[in-house]
Amino acid sequence: MKTEYIKLDNNNPDREMIKKAGEIIKKGGLVAFPTETVYGLGGDAMLSESSKRIYRAKGRPSDNPLIVHICEIGDLYEAAKDIPEEALLLAERFWPGPLTMIFTKRDRVPFETTGGLSTVAVRMPDNRIALDFIRAAGGFVAAPSANRSGRPSPTNVKRVLEDLDGEIEMIIDGGDSVIGLESTIIDMTPYSRGEKGMLLRPGFVTDKDLKELLSDIDYDPAVFGKINNDAKPRAPGMKYRHYAPKGELTIVKGEDEGVISFIRRGVREALSSGKRAAVIASSENIRAFEEGLVIDIGSRKDDGEIARRLYEGLRACDDKDIDVIYSEELTYGNLSGAIMNRLIKAAGGRIKEV
Ligand code: TXA
Ligand code: MG
């Protein structure tokens, strides 16, 4: 299949092009599109055949549910029911924006879209191209991140093409993603049982932000990256190896001095045994590393920058066929929970304390 590439201006997307993209979805096709978090791979959320195609294009297990993207709050009631008051508070504050909420699904949402679950994840993205496109597509666009299953999510069109060129009808280029990490996910269904909402995936909307409106929330153990076979994560996606580069990534934790010398030694050993090695470090430490591929992931003073660059950094390792990767622990600012959640998963839980 030939994938059509179009580039749109996020402040003023060309209407004819948006209409064309919407028509593709209405006919059961797939379109990759920009959101403020990462690029999404969209299909009609109300068509089971479209959701099946999404799983095939991504190479994703079909028990891993998709997020339904909407463009106006009224449409929430078409996809979900038993919507608690707390959800409306969150929607008012954070939508459009990087927050996904889970509710009981309505019958019209096919089980193919929800991975067989009776609940549905809904989000309204904060990106003009995305909102116009969703409207043109009929209002309900199922979209996982636009990567092959298991790989880091794409934050620009080059990475979408790398994974999906030839597999889908169209790709819309809207420039670099401004956030760079997937949305925060909170399960709102416990409220109907008089219980607290449960955070399933941390993101740009932090738990602190949520608690301002909800007073308290519960946490799925997968949020902290500690998944074992006993703790079954509530967001099925969290059980899979995720966001991962092809090389073996180890997070090194401790005081700067010890971390730097451990990583330098590790890189040297890898290189001398004929392997390709990379280092992911904060701007503040970057000059301490000279050998291997050295990736500046951003300043410790700017967690937004680290979030924006993280997936591109992991993919840069794949570009160079890196075998061994060391990363500093990246625990700076309000986004550190979300950043470390992704980094720990990318590392398959490998953390070395020095
Ligand atoms: O920022 C985002 O959310 C991006 C952009 C494209 O909007 N999308 C995204 O989708 O990250 P995806 O498919 O890569 O991640 C969706 C996550 C998965 O971990 C999935 O298991 C979880 O949401 N999820 C979806 N529906 C669910 C449900 N009904 N119950 C529990 N978890 C659900
Ligand atoms: Mg994903």
Side-chain angles (χ1 to χ4, degrees), residues 58 60 144-145 147 153 182 201 242-243:
K58 268 184 77 88
R60 176 177 188 156
S145 47
N147 50 283
S153 300
E182 305 85 348
R201 181 172 73 180
H242 241 143
Y243 321 120

Side-chain angles (χ1 to χ4, degrees), residues 150-152 241-251 275-278 280 293 313-327 343-350:
R151 298 203 72 198
R241 181 172 139 93
H242 241 143
Y243 321 120
K246 291 170 192 148
E248 188 182 273
L249 168 63
T250 304
I251 301 166
K275 291 185 180 154
R276 286 184 237 263
I280 295 174
L293 172 69
L314 295 173
R315 284 202 178 227
C317 295
D318 289 350
D319 293 344
K320 301 261 189 268
D321 283 323
I322 300 292
D323 306 296
V324 178
I325 309 163
Y326 291 100
S327 175
L343 194 62
I344 290 169
K345 285 204 172 50
R350 256 185 312 277

Side-chain angles (χ1 to χ4, degrees), residues 33 35 37-41 58 60 64-67 69 100 102-103 114 117 119-121 123 125 143-147 153 181-183 185 200-201 234-238 242:
F33 64 102
T35 82
T37 57
V38 299
Y39 274 77
L41 169 56
K58 268 184 77 88
R60 176 177 188 156
N64 188 357
L66 310 174
I67 294 175
H69 293 65
T100 296
I102 291 171
F103 305 100
T114 64
L117 298 175
T119 53
V120 61
R123 136 167 153 87
S145 47
N147 50 283
S153 300
L181 296 179
E182 305 85 348
S183 61
I185 305 182
L200 304 187
R201 181 172 73 180
R234 304 283 179 94
M238 303 301 263
H242 241 143

